[in-house]
Amino acid sequence: MRWVSLLLILVLAQWAQPAAAMWSDLDAARAAFDDGAFSRAAGVAREIGTAEGYTLAAHAEMARGDLIEEKDKVRLECYRTALADARKAVAGAPDSPEAHLALAIALGFVARSEGGLEAHMQGLGEEARKHIDIALKLAPDSPWAHATLGGWNLQIAYAGGSIGEAIYGASVKAGQQAYERALSIDPGNISIAYQYAVQLLGLDGDAHRRRAAELLDMVVAHRPANAMERLLRQSAVNLKQALDQGRPEKAMQLAEARLGRAR
Protein backbone atom coordinates (compact mmCIF):
# COMPACT_ATOMS: atom_id res chain seq x y z
CA MET A 1 0.00 0.00 0.00
CA ARG A 2 0.98 3.61 -0.46
CA TRP A 3 0.95 6.02 2.43
CA VAL A 4 0.34 9.74 1.96
CA SER A 5 2.32 11.84 4.40
CA LEU A 6 2.38 15.57 5.11
CA LEU A 7 5.79 17.14 5.75
CA LEU A 8 5.30 19.94 8.23
CA ILE A 9 7.42 23.08 7.71
CA LEU A 10 8.60 24.02 11.17
CA VAL A 11 9.60 27.63 11.80
CA LEU A 12 11.71 26.95 14.85
CA ALA A 13 15.31 26.13 13.98
CA GLN A 14 15.71 23.55 16.76
CA TRP A 15 12.98 21.37 15.16
CA ALA A 16 14.45 21.37 11.66
CA GLN A 17 17.17 18.75 12.11
CA PRO A 18 15.09 16.17 14.03
CA ALA A 19 12.28 16.50 11.47
CA ALA A 20 14.69 15.95 8.58
CA ALA A 21 16.16 12.90 10.29
CA MET A 22 12.74 11.45 10.95
CA TRP A 23 11.63 11.78 7.34
CA SER A 24 14.92 10.38 6.13
CA ASP A 25 14.32 7.29 8.29
CA LEU A 26 10.77 6.96 6.97
CA ASP A 27 12.05 7.16 3.40
CA ALA A 28 14.63 4.49 4.24
CA ALA A 29 11.91 2.26 5.66
CA ARG A 30 9.80 2.73 2.54
CA ALA A 31 12.78 1.92 0.33
CA ALA A 32 13.41 -1.29 2.31
CA PHE A 33 9.74 -2.18 1.94
CA ASP A 34 9.87 -1.64 -1.83
CA ASP A 35 12.99 -3.84 -2.00
CA GLY A 36 11.15 -6.65 -0.21
CA ALA A 37 13.25 -6.33 2.97
CA PHE A 38 10.09 -6.33 5.07
CA SER A 39 11.72 -7.20 8.40
CA ARG A 40 14.25 -4.38 8.04
CA ALA A 41 11.53 -1.97 6.91
CA ALA A 42 9.45 -2.80 9.99
CA GLY A 43 12.38 -2.30 12.33
CA VAL A 44 13.40 1.05 10.88
CA ALA A 45 9.81 2.32 10.71
CA ARG A 46 9.05 1.23 14.27
CA GLU A 47 12.08 3.08 15.64
CA ILE A 48 10.73 6.37 14.29
CA GLY A 49 7.99 6.22 16.89
CA THR A 50 5.35 8.14 14.91
CA ALA A 51 1.94 7.03 13.66
CA GLU A 52 3.29 6.92 10.09
CA GLY A 53 6.18 4.79 11.27
CA TYR A 54 3.98 2.33 13.15
CA THR A 55 1.57 2.14 10.19
CA LEU A 56 4.40 1.27 7.83
CA ALA A 57 5.84 -1.21 10.35
CA ALA A 58 2.45 -2.93 10.55
CA HIS A 59 2.22 -3.27 6.76
CA ALA A 60 5.79 -4.56 6.57
CA GLU A 61 5.11 -7.23 9.20
CA MET A 62 1.93 -8.28 7.41
CA ALA A 63 3.74 -8.46 4.07
CA ARG A 64 6.48 -10.54 5.66
CA GLY A 65 3.98 -12.96 7.19
CA ASP A 66 1.79 -13.20 4.10
CA LEU A 67 4.40 -13.29 1.34
CA ILE A 68 7.68 -14.51 2.84
CA GLU A 69 7.32 -16.71 5.90
CA GLU A 70 6.17 -20.31 5.47
CA LYS A 71 5.69 -21.59 9.02
CA ASP A 72 2.28 -20.92 10.52
CA LYS A 73 3.72 -20.06 13.93
CA VAL A 74 6.06 -17.44 12.47
CA ARG A 75 3.28 -16.01 10.32
CA LEU A 76 1.05 -15.56 13.35
CA GLU A 77 3.90 -13.85 15.23
CA CYS A 78 4.26 -11.41 12.32
CA TYR A 79 0.54 -10.67 12.34
CA ARG A 80 0.41 -10.17 16.10
CA THR A 81 3.38 -7.82 15.90
CA ALA A 82 1.63 -5.94 13.09
CA LEU A 83 -1.47 -5.70 15.24
CA ALA A 84 0.51 -4.18 18.10
CA ASP A 85 2.14 -1.68 15.71
CA ALA A 86 -1.21 -0.74 14.21
CA ARG A 87 -2.74 -0.14 17.64
CA LYS A 88 0.10 2.25 18.41
CA ALA A 89 -0.49 4.01 15.09
CA VAL A 90 -4.18 4.54 15.88
CA ALA A 91 -3.38 5.70 19.39
CA GLY A 92 -0.92 8.24 18.01
CA ALA A 93 -3.14 9.44 15.15
CA PRO A 94 -6.82 8.60 15.72
CA ASP A 95 -7.77 10.74 12.69
CA SER A 96 -5.54 8.80 10.30
CA PRO A 97 -7.54 6.55 7.95
CA GLU A 98 -4.32 4.71 7.04
CA ALA A 99 -3.76 3.78 10.69
CA HIS A 100 -7.32 2.49 11.10
CA LEU A 101 -7.03 0.44 7.92
CA ALA A 102 -3.72 -1.05 9.03
CA LEU A 103 -5.39 -2.09 12.28
CA ALA A 104 -8.41 -3.57 10.48
CA ILE A 105 -6.20 -5.55 8.09
CA ALA A 106 -3.98 -6.80 10.92
CA LEU A 107 -7.06 -7.96 12.82
CA GLY A 108 -8.11 -9.86 9.70
CA PHE A 109 -4.75 -11.60 9.39
CA VAL A 110 -4.77 -12.60 13.05
CA ALA A 111 -8.35 -13.84 12.77
CA ARG A 112 -7.49 -15.87 9.68
CA SER A 113 -4.50 -17.46 11.39
CA GLU A 114 -6.20 -18.22 14.70
CA GLY A 115 -9.36 -19.65 13.15
CA GLY A 116 -12.97 -18.51 12.87
CA LEU A 117 -14.23 -19.64 16.27
CA GLU A 118 -11.32 -18.12 18.20
CA ALA A 119 -11.60 -14.91 16.19
CA HIS A 120 -15.33 -14.72 16.90
CA MET A 121 -14.79 -15.26 20.62
CA GLN A 122 -12.26 -12.43 20.68
CA GLY A 123 -14.53 -10.10 18.71
CA LEU A 124 -11.90 -9.56 16.02
CA GLY A 125 -14.40 -9.32 13.16
CA GLU A 126 -16.49 -6.68 14.89
CA GLU A 127 -13.43 -4.68 15.87
CA ALA A 128 -12.08 -4.80 12.31
CA ARG A 129 -15.39 -3.56 10.90
CA LYS A 130 -15.40 -0.69 13.39
CA HIS A 131 -12.04 0.55 12.15
CA ILE A 132 -13.03 0.11 8.50
CA ASP A 133 -16.10 2.26 9.11
CA ILE A 134 -13.96 4.91 10.82
CA ALA A 135 -11.56 4.92 7.85
CA LEU A 136 -14.46 5.28 5.41
CA LYS A 137 -15.84 8.19 7.43
CA LEU A 138 -12.44 9.88 7.46
CA ALA A 139 -11.70 9.14 3.79
CA PRO A 140 -14.89 8.18 1.93
CA ASP A 141 -13.10 8.09 -1.45
CA SER A 142 -10.19 5.93 -0.32
CA PRO A 143 -9.89 2.88 -2.61
CA TRP A 144 -8.06 1.06 0.19
CA ALA A 145 -10.95 1.60 2.60
CA HIS A 146 -13.48 0.21 0.14
CA ALA A 147 -11.20 -2.71 -0.75
CA THR A 148 -10.72 -3.54 2.91
CA LEU A 149 -14.49 -3.49 3.38
CA GLY A 150 -14.79 -5.83 0.40
CA GLY A 151 -12.24 -8.22 1.84
CA TRP A 152 -13.98 -8.18 5.23
CA ASN A 153 -17.32 -9.11 3.67
CA LEU A 154 -15.98 -11.87 1.44
CA GLN A 155 -13.83 -13.43 4.16
CA ILE A 156 -16.67 -13.57 6.68
CA ALA A 157 -19.24 -14.69 4.10
CA TYR A 158 -16.92 -17.51 3.05
CA ALA A 159 -15.95 -18.61 6.54
CA GLY A 160 -19.32 -18.16 8.24
CA GLY A 161 -21.87 -18.63 5.48
CA SER A 162 -25.40 -17.75 6.50
CA ILE A 163 -24.34 -17.65 10.16
CA GLY A 164 -21.66 -15.09 9.35
CA GLU A 165 -24.18 -13.04 7.43
CA ALA A 166 -26.63 -13.13 10.33
CA ILE A 167 -24.07 -12.24 13.00
CA TYR A 168 -21.93 -9.70 11.15
CA GLY A 169 -24.15 -8.55 8.30
CA ALA A 170 -21.50 -9.62 5.78
CA SER A 171 -22.35 -10.89 2.30
CA VAL A 172 -20.72 -11.84 -0.98
CA LYS A 173 -22.75 -9.18 -2.79
CA ALA A 174 -21.62 -6.42 -0.41
CA GLY A 175 -18.03 -7.60 -0.75
CA GLN A 176 -18.11 -7.49 -4.53
CA GLN A 177 -19.76 -4.07 -4.54
CA ALA A 178 -17.09 -2.69 -2.21
CA TYR A 179 -14.25 -4.09 -4.32
CA GLU A 180 -15.80 -2.77 -7.53
CA ARG A 181 -16.18 0.63 -5.88
CA ALA A 182 -12.48 0.55 -4.93
CA LEU A 183 -11.46 -0.21 -8.52
CA SER A 184 -13.77 2.46 -9.90
CA ILE A 185 -11.85 4.97 -7.77
CA ASP A 186 -8.41 3.55 -8.64
CA PRO A 187 -8.75 1.36 -11.78
CA GLY A 188 -5.04 0.61 -12.05
CA ASN A 189 -4.52 -0.58 -8.48
CA ILE A 190 -2.76 -3.91 -8.91
CA SER A 191 -2.79 -4.88 -5.25
CA ILE A 192 -6.56 -4.44 -4.96
CA ALA A 193 -7.20 -6.25 -8.25
CA TYR A 194 -5.06 -9.19 -7.17
CA GLN A 195 -6.66 -9.60 -3.74
CA TYR A 196 -10.14 -9.32 -5.24
CA ALA A 197 -9.31 -11.99 -7.83
CA VAL A 198 -7.96 -14.38 -5.21
CA GLN A 199 -11.03 -13.98 -3.02
CA LEU A 200 -13.35 -14.53 -5.99
CA LEU A 201 -11.52 -17.74 -6.89
CA GLY A 202 -11.88 -18.87 -3.29
CA LEU A 203 -15.65 -18.54 -3.67
CA ASP A 204 -15.77 -20.73 -6.78
CA GLY A 205 -18.50 -20.37 -9.42
CA ASP A 206 -18.31 -19.54 -13.16
CA ALA A 207 -19.25 -15.86 -12.77
CA HIS A 208 -16.67 -15.38 -10.04
CA ARG A 209 -14.00 -17.11 -12.15
CA ARG A 210 -14.73 -14.92 -15.17
CA ARG A 211 -14.30 -11.72 -13.19
CA ALA A 212 -11.23 -13.16 -11.47
CA ALA A 213 -9.69 -13.96 -14.85
CA GLU A 214 -10.19 -10.35 -16.00
CA LEU A 215 -8.49 -9.07 -12.86
CA LEU A 216 -5.61 -11.51 -13.19
CA ASP A 217 -5.05 -10.42 -16.80
CA MET A 218 -4.70 -6.87 -15.50
CA VAL A 219 -2.18 -7.90 -12.85
CA VAL A 220 -0.09 -10.02 -15.23
CA ALA A 221 0.03 -7.23 -17.83
CA HIS A 222 1.33 -4.75 -15.27
CA ARG A 223 5.05 -4.12 -15.05
CA PRO A 224 6.03 -4.56 -11.37
CA ALA A 225 7.40 -1.46 -9.68
CA ASN A 226 8.61 -3.10 -6.46
CA ALA A 227 9.17 -6.41 -4.72
CA MET A 228 5.58 -6.80 -3.56
CA GLU A 229 4.22 -6.26 -7.06
CA ARG A 230 6.70 -8.82 -8.39
CA LEU A 231 5.47 -11.37 -5.83
CA LEU A 232 1.85 -10.61 -6.61
CA ARG A 233 2.43 -10.85 -10.35
CA GLN A 234 4.09 -14.26 -10.07
CA SER A 235 1.19 -15.54 -8.00
CA ALA A 236 -1.23 -14.09 -10.55
CA VAL A 237 0.65 -15.87 -13.37
CA ASN A 238 0.23 -19.21 -11.58
CA LEU A 239 -3.48 -18.62 -11.01
CA LYS A 240 -4.04 -17.49 -14.60
CA GLN A 241 -2.21 -20.53 -16.00
CA ALA A 242 -4.51 -22.84 -14.06
CA LEU A 243 -7.58 -21.05 -15.43
CA ASP A 244 -6.22 -20.95 -19.00
CA GLN A 245 -5.54 -24.70 -18.81
CA GLY A 246 -9.16 -25.35 -17.88
CA ARG A 247 -8.28 -26.39 -14.33
CA PRO A 248 -10.55 -24.28 -12.12
CA GLU A 249 -10.11 -26.69 -9.22
CA LYS A 250 -6.35 -26.04 -9.31
CA ALA A 251 -6.91 -22.28 -9.41
CA MET A 252 -9.24 -22.56 -6.43
CA GLN A 253 -6.69 -24.68 -4.57
CA LEU A 254 -3.99 -22.06 -5.16
CA ALA A 255 -6.37 -19.31 -4.08
CA GLU A 256 -7.27 -21.23 -0.93
CA ALA A 257 -3.58 -21.51 -0.07
CA ARG A 258 -3.07 -17.78 -0.62
CA LEU A 259 -6.03 -17.08 1.66
CA GLY A 260 -4.63 -19.32 4.38
CA ARG A 261 -7.47 -21.81 4.20
CA ALA A 262 -5.59 -24.88 3.07
CA ARG A 263 -3.03 -25.19 5.84
Side-chain angles (χ1 to χ4, degrees), residues 13 15 23 39 48 69 77 83 119 124 138 170 175 198 200 208 217 227 231 243 256:
W15 289 98
W23 287 99
S39 182
I48 298 170
E69 300 296 345
E77 289 174 355
L83 182 57
L124 302 185
L138 292 168
V198 171
L200 286 175
H208 294 148
D217 285 340
L231 290 167
L243 291 176
E256 293 279 353

Side-chain angles (χ1 to χ4, degrees), residues 4-6 49-56 85-103 131 134-135 138:
V4 180
S5 303
L6 298 176
T50 64
E52 292 95 340
Y54 284 123
T55 299
L56 179 52
D85 287 330
R87 290 196 190 283
K88 291 177 181 177
V90 169
D95 292 333
S96 167
E98 292 84 7
H100 286 283
L101 288 177
L103 180 48
H131 288 285
I134 292 173
L138 292 168

